[in-house]
Amino acid sequence: MSLGDWEEVKRLAADFQRAQLSVTSLRLTERNCVEVVTKLIEQKLLEVIFTTDGKEYLTPQQLVKEIKDELFIHGGRINLVELSKVLNVDLAQITVKANEIERADTGCQLVLGQLIDRNYTKHIAEEINERLTQQGQVSIADLTRQYDLPSDFLQSVVEKQLGKVIFAKQDKQDHRLFFTDAFVARNKAIVRGALVAATRPISITAVLNQCGISERTFFSVIDSLLESKEVAGTLTSRQGGTATFIPHVYSKAQSEWVNNFYKQNGYIEYSALNRLGISDAQSFVKRQFSGEKLVMLPSCAVGKQLLDQVEGSLEDAITSLSWIDIMSILPSIFEIEDGEEILKEVLKNIKSNVQIHTFCHTFIVTDHFLQTVMKPINEEIIDKKAEEAVSSGKYQQSRVDRAVGKEVQVEVDHKAERREERRKRAAGGKGGGGTQGRETKTKSTKKKYQKNRVEASDSEEEEHTSGKLELLSLKEVIQVLKREESLQDEELDDFITEMAKFVLPDVNRRALVAAETAFENIMMNRGSSRRKTHSDLQEKLNVSVNDVRLYEKAIKQFPNKDTQAQLAKYLLKTTATEIANAIFNFIAQESGSHPDMSGDKDLTPEDRLKILGECPADTKDQLMKLHKAVSGSSIDEFLETVEPAFTAVGLLLRKPDKKKERPQLFAHRQALSQQLTVCEDPALVLHLVVLLLFQAVTQTMLQASGRFVSSILQFLAPHLSQEIYDKLQKYHDSVLKLLKVGDDVEEKNQIIKVLQEDMNSVKDIALNYKKNDTVSKSS
């Protein structure tokens, strides 16, 4: 302490003593003091701050002084909340004064509700430096946890004290990390020792575990080691979990192995490079052989040496007009995709006039070889298949299908043209003519339905196109190809199948041409015989129509209308339907459209409609009437439609000739008599007997099934003697019993015995009956 200061202390002590010894002239009570202070405060002559309990107050200057005193006592750092409790002053007042102190004193800072002076800042800088000396490195994150202060504040403290109080370096990559030179040198030596000793790729994780250093420390020193070439090698990445250090000695050995393999084999396999530890094989190959033109394939890279070998083999195969599979000359590691790419590359350099084909991606076949193996088909099988198709009618059917397909296409085109015309008219409606033109709007309400119709038409066209006749199957072509000695290996099945699919359309086209020639020859041969067939059919149908007319007269003999109707339907289903079927069969045979329906085949109504669908419009109308007539119930309607139908198909129907009726009746009776003579079936005998008796009685011939026997017998009753009628009725009843007897064998045998005993006498009734022998039942 200086002499002046000491004198000042002495003077203050004397003043204090005089004040204590002096006698006060006036004394104020505590209440008066409070009132005086209150009055001064109201008049703003005095500024004071009350304590939280209200018992004391102090001036702002005193509060600032006490805050600084407490800050000093607490070592340069104090929390404002704690300070409020110590000074017994409201926190708001403490905060205001702390801000004033921070503004007035640059050495003080207010950080997250804490007042900190320069002494404390210097103190923590010294502690950080001491920690660096001990640990070698420190991070702002660790300091934040230690001092419970914001990282930005600590970062600024450390950066300001670097080189002054804190002797360390800041990490270039991570500015929140600081370390000493000794720490760097020590870790660099550790990393250098570990990596120099490596002779093969080693993961960085293993290095970190072995050396006991952090990933951040490793990457902070490895760059300087690589730059200074203290460590020879490369890092695959900067991420510790996946990073690998590859020593230069290993890379050199790796490159030598790859170069030697390529020189010996002419290719580099990617999987082999992967086994060597090369992850991106394609990039490695491009870098390693940047001076060579390699073909990069999906599984390997191929050089000029192997490409020249493949090109030579291909040229040999083309020159010898044979075939080759390049997979057979490539190493086994090559995939089909690789072979396909190699083939494309090699074919760019081959110039030849020989036509070649590619199958199964890797097979090359010359056109000459293909024609050679197809020779048996061209010379033997095509003509045979063409003749079979014509004789079976398949070829004729295909002609009809193609014709129908063309009609469908024409219809589709017609519909499209009409839609286009409607669209143009609708578009044209918007520009009215002249000055009085009025704009009209058209709205399409069925676009989606029109679209569906177009799609349906397209599908129909495709269906007809796809229905083209194939005379030779794929299997047959494959069998012919396998006759070639060089194609008899089972491993070539896929190749043979694809080659067969390639030639199949051309083979079938030539087979169809041969079938067309055969069909034309047959049609020419048939021309001479068709006229005879036409006249024979015309004569036969004329006889059948006359039979229908005579059968109709017989039906009209029955007085019962229901019986007439039933007999008429039966006649239409039998003789009339046979006439209609003969006409429709004739149409099918003439057009050749339905070879399976030509001849005397029985046709169903569906068959007749199918033939009708392919007839011209004028013919179709007449035949449709005939078709409906035979399905109806009127014989007159049938007779009205049969003559126009004859005319429509080019047949002549003769007018009825009464002179020919007697010979026709006689012939019919003779046919029934001959059938009755040799018949031994009781039911059929009875059927024939009543038909003969009906013709003898009415002089008309009747066509009826067995279920009409009872009705015919009832009709004949007035015209037969009682004895004959009873005999026939008895025989009729026995036949009915026989049909209903069931499984009783004994009873069945008895009935058959009775019928056989009476059969000859019943036959004699019909065979020897004369109309003048008729005796009325009533007599």
Side-chain angles (χ1 to χ4, degrees), residues 183-200:
F183 176 80
V184 173
R186 182 172 65 253
N187 285 287
K188 185 181 289 187
I190 294 173
V191 173
R192 181 173 57 246
L195 298 183
V196 168
T199 58
R200 57 175 297 172

Side-chain angles (χ1 to χ4, degrees), residues 449-587:
Y449 304 108
Q450 293 173 356
K451 180 179 179 182
N452 292 337
R453 288 199 295 268
V454 173
E455 291 176 353
S457 301
D458 293 342
S459 63
E460 288 175 5
E461 180 183 358
E462 291 176 1
E463 181 179 349
H464 286 293
T465 303
S466 62
K468 188 175 180 180
L469 178 64
E470 290 189 355
L471 300 184
L472 276 85
S473 66
L474 180 65
K475 185 177 180 181
E476 290 172 327
V477 177
I478 290 174
Q479 290 175 351
V480 174
L481 293 178
K482 285 187 175 181
R483 297 180 188 177
E484 171 63 28
E485 184 177 355
S486 61
L487 300 177
Q488 293 180 357
D489 191 345
E490 292 183 358
E491 295 181 357
L492 300 176
D493 286 347
D494 292 340
F495 163 55
I496 295 172
T497 300
E498 186 165 336
M499 189 161 52
K501 290 179 180 178
F502 174 76
V503 302
L504 184 62
D506 182 64
V507 169
N508 273 304
R509 181 184 58 79
R510 283 186 277 125
L512 285 173
V513 171
E516 183 176 4
T517 303
F519 176 71
E520 290 174 353
N521 293 335
I522 292 175
M523 295 304 294
M524 291 176 63
N525 295 331
R526 286 181 178 176
S528 59
S529 61
R530 184 172 298 171
R531 290 186 293 274
K532 185 176 183 301
T533 304
H534 181 274
S535 61
D536 292 344
L537 176 66
Q538 180 174 278
E539 183 63 29
K540 176 183 176 183
L541 292 180
N542 271 282
V543 172
S544 298
V545 172
N546 285 330
D547 287 345
V548 172
R549 292 191 181 106
L550 294 176
Y551 291 145
E552 184 188 21
K553 290 182 180 180
I555 292 172
K556 291 180 178 179
Q557 298 290 331
F558 288 88
N560 191 322
K561 296 296 183 181
D562 291 339
T563 304
Q564 288 185 15
Q566 292 175 12
L567 287 169
K569 285 184 179 181
Y570 178 74
L571 180 58
L572 290 171
K573 288 181 180 180
T574 53
T575 305
T577 299
E578 290 173 1
I579 294 171
N581 287 345
I583 294 174
F584 278 85
N585 275 324
F586 174 71
I587 289 294

Side-chain angles (χ1 to χ4, degrees), residues 101-134:
I101 293 172
E102 182 183 19
R103 288 193 297 270
D105 188 353
T106 56
C108 292
Q109 298 182 50
L110 192 60
V111 180
L112 293 181
Q114 301 179 81
L115 191 59
I116 298 174
D117 64 5
R118 63 170 58 86
N119 293 328
Y120 181 78
T121 303
K122 185 177 181 180
H123 173 70
I124 62 176
E126 292 172 351
E127 287 185 353
I128 291 171
N129 186 63
E130 183 178 353
R131 182 173 177 177
L132 277 167
T133 304
Q134 295 174 354

Side-chain angles (χ1 to χ4, degrees), residues 523-775:
M523 295 304 294
M524 291 176 63
N525 295 331
R526 286 181 178 176
S528 59
S529 61
R530 184 172 298 171
R531 290 186 293 274
K532 185 176 183 301
T533 304
H534 181 274
S535 61
D536 292 344
L537 176 66
Q538 180 174 278
E539 183 63 29
K540 176 183 176 183
L541 292 180
N542 271 282
V543 172
S544 298
V545 172
N546 285 330
D547 287 345
V548 172
R549 292 191 181 106
L550 294 176
Y551 291 145
E552 184 188 21
K553 290 182 180 180
I555 292 172
K556 291 180 178 179
Q557 298 290 331
F558 288 88
N560 191 322
K561 296 296 183 181
D562 291 339
T563 304
Q564 288 185 15
Q566 292 175 12
L567 287 169
K569 285 184 179 181
Y570 178 74
L571 180 58
L572 290 171
K573 288 181 180 180
T574 53
T575 305
T577 299
E578 290 173 1
I579 294 171
N581 287 345
I583 294 174
F584 278 85
N585 275 324
F586 174 71
I587 289 294
Q589 188 175 12
E590 284 291 307
S591 63
S593 59
H594 293 275
D596 57 326
M597 297 180 185
S598 60
D600 297 328
K601 180 183 176 182
D602 291 337
L603 302 180
T604 63
E606 291 77 14
D607 293 336
R608 293 197 294 271
L609 289 175
K610 191 173 182 181
I611 297 174
L612 273 175
E614 294 154 11
C615 292
D618 52 349
T619 305
K620 183 187 296 185
D621 294 340
Q622 302 302 331
L623 294 181
M624 178 59 76
K625 293 178 182 179
L626 177 63
H627 169 73
K628 291 180 179 179
V630 297
S631 301
S633 58
S634 172
I635 298 175
D636 292 336
E637 182 182 352
F638 168 76
L639 293 174
E640 290 174 0
T641 59
V642 72
E643 185 172 358
F646 268 55
T647 305
V649 298
L651 297 174
L652 176 63
L653 180 62
R654 292 190 292 271
K655 298 295 182 181
D657 188 356
K658 291 188 177 182
K659 295 180 180 179
K660 294 183 178 181
E661 287 185 5
R662 288 184 61 83
Q664 198 165 350
L665 288 172
F666 179 77
H668 185 264
R669 176 178 174 79
Q670 289 296 111
L672 292 177
S673 300
Q674 291 176 3
Q675 190 176 356
L676 178 61
T677 304
V678 297
C679 183
E680 296 295 333
D681 182 9
L684 183 56
V685 166
L686 180 62
H687 185 197
L688 295 172
V689 165
V690 296
L691 290 178
L692 283 167
L693 290 175
F694 183 89
Q695 183 170 344
V697 170
T698 62
Q699 295 301 308
T700 58
M701 60 186 193
L702 178 66
Q703 181 166 337
S705 62
R707 69 188 188 92
F708 292 102
V709 169
S710 299
S711 300
I712 300 171
L713 193 59
Q714 184 178 358
F715 171 81
L716 293 174
H719 305 283
L720 301 176
S721 65
Q722 186 66 40
E723 179 183 357
I724 293 175
Y725 177 78
D726 291 340
K727 196 167 191 176
L728 291 175
Q729 187 64 43
K730 177 183 176 183
Y731 197 82
H732 173 266
D733 294 340
S734 299
V735 170
L736 291 179
K737 287 181 182 180
L738 179 63
L739 297 176
K740 297 178 181 180
V741 69
D743 298 332
D744 191 342
V745 179
E746 183 177 352
E747 183 179 359
K748 187 175 182 179
N749 291 334
Q750 291 179 356
I751 297 173
I752 291 174
K753 184 179 179 181
V754 172
L755 289 171
Q756 289 178 345
E757 291 176 354
D758 297 337
M759 185 177 296
N760 291 329
S761 59
V762 170
K763 287 182 178 182
D764 291 339
I765 293 174
L767 295 173
N768 300 321
Y769 180 82
K770 293 181 181 180
K771 189 173 180 180
N772 53 13
D773 293 338
T774 301
V775 178

